[in-house]
Amino acid sequence: MRAGAVAMVAALSAAGCSHPILQREASKPAPVPDPKTQMRPLEFRVMALVQQERQTLNPESKTLMLDPVLMDVARKRARDMAAKGYFADAAPDGTTSATLVMSEDTKFQGLLGVNIAAQHYTAQAGVDPDTFAQRFLDTWLKSPSHKQNLAFADYNRTGVGAALTGDTVIVVQLFATNLGLPPPKDHAWRGKPVRMASPEAAKTAMELPRLRGLTLTQ
């Protein structure tokens, strides 16, 4: 009797018989992750794709190392834009990525690049880090100034921040290099950040004695 029972179970399984409730549960789509939980994976995916693209555009590009100060400021900038409803590097109170970096790192000098972009999402589809990271990269590559920042070979530090506002994802990526300048002396005079037209222009300007030791931003 035991052998017969086993044989019957096997036959039913082979015929494709299954419980209707289990069948409905198996076909139920997986729930979409909360977009808020996807911001950190998105940040690191953007970082990885940008690094890959830099090597494609210029094999001589330096590897971008994660910088804690740049990461913190990038996240603050993205969250501030999301909270206050603006889309620019300069906040309504006048603060910028450069002024925040200089306040957090009193010895920062050299060049700071800023790339910002936004993408819409739907609650039904959510935010897939791989898909959205590629969209942000594609957006920057279509813009000459953003592409210049992304491809500038001398940048060797970076930080990425992402935030949600309504149905929009905002991403900020910061790039930095000291352009080979020696460490600043303690209590050295530091002026306001100087905005430049391009990273290459900033690199040339940094050779001028009057601009050495300042923070240039693009």
Side-chain angles (χ1 to χ4, degrees):
M1 292 295 293
R2 183 173 300 175
V6 172
M8 185 172 292
V9 170
L12 289 172
S13 298
C17 296
S18 60
H19 198 287
I21 294 178
L22 294 178
Q23 197 171 42
R24 286 197 298 270
E25 289 179 351
S27 62
K28 186 177 181 181
V32 176
D34 184 344
K36 293 180 181 178
T37 67
Q38 302 306 298
M39 293 301 98
R40 184 152 296 192
L42 174 61
E43 293 169 350
F44 285 96
R45 189 59 184 148
V46 167
M47 200 179 308
L49 288 184
V50 167
Q51 180 62 58
Q52 293 173 12
E53 189 65 28
R54 279 168 58 82
Q55 295 301 314
T56 299
L57 295 172
N58 185 352
E60 301 300 319
S61 295
K62 295 180 179 178
T63 299
L64 295 173
M65 304 301 292
L66 175 62
D67 184 292
V69 171
L70 297 184
M71 199 74 178
D72 183 59
V73 171
R75 285 172 172 165
K76 286 179 177 177
R77 302 304 293 143
R79 292 167 185 168
D80 196 60
M81 279 185 260
K84 297 178 182 177
Y86 67 96
F87 187 70
D89 187 47
D93 63 2
T95 59
T96 65
S97 297
T99 57
L100 287 177
V101 168
M102 292 174 70
S103 71
E104 290 197 20
D105 181 359
T106 58
K107 293 188 177 182
F108 181 90
Q109 64 178 355
L111 175 62
L112 180 73
V114 184
N115 277 356
I116 303 172
Q119 292 285 336
H120 292 289
Y121 76 96
T122 63
Q124 294 79 9
V127 178
D128 176 69
D130 290 336
T131 301
F132 274 74
Q134 187 63 56
R135 289 180 186 174
F136 282 111
L137 176 61
D138 292 342
T139 297
W140 288 332
L141 290 176
K142 292 175 184 177
S143 164
S145 61
H146 291 83
K147 186 176 180 179
Q148 283 180 341
N149 265 345
L150 188 153
F152 186 57
D154 286 12
Y155 284 135
N156 58 5
R157 308 193 310 277
T158 192
V160 180
L164 294 172
T165 174
D167 62 352
T168 303
V169 184
I170 297 174
V171 164
V172 176
Q173 182 165 21
L174 303 182
F175 306 89
T177 173
N178 62 13
L179 293 173
L181 294 170
K185 297 179 180 179
D186 292 338
H187 309 298
W189 177 82
R190 305 176 75 213
K192 293 182 178 180
V194 179
R195 183 168 293 278
M196 306 300 292
S198 70
E200 290 294 345
K203 184 175 181 179
T204 300
M206 191 61 76
E207 297 174 359
L208 302 175
R210 65 185 180 84
L211 290 181
R212 288 177 186 164
L214 297 182
T215 295
L216 306 183
T217 181
Q218 198 281 323

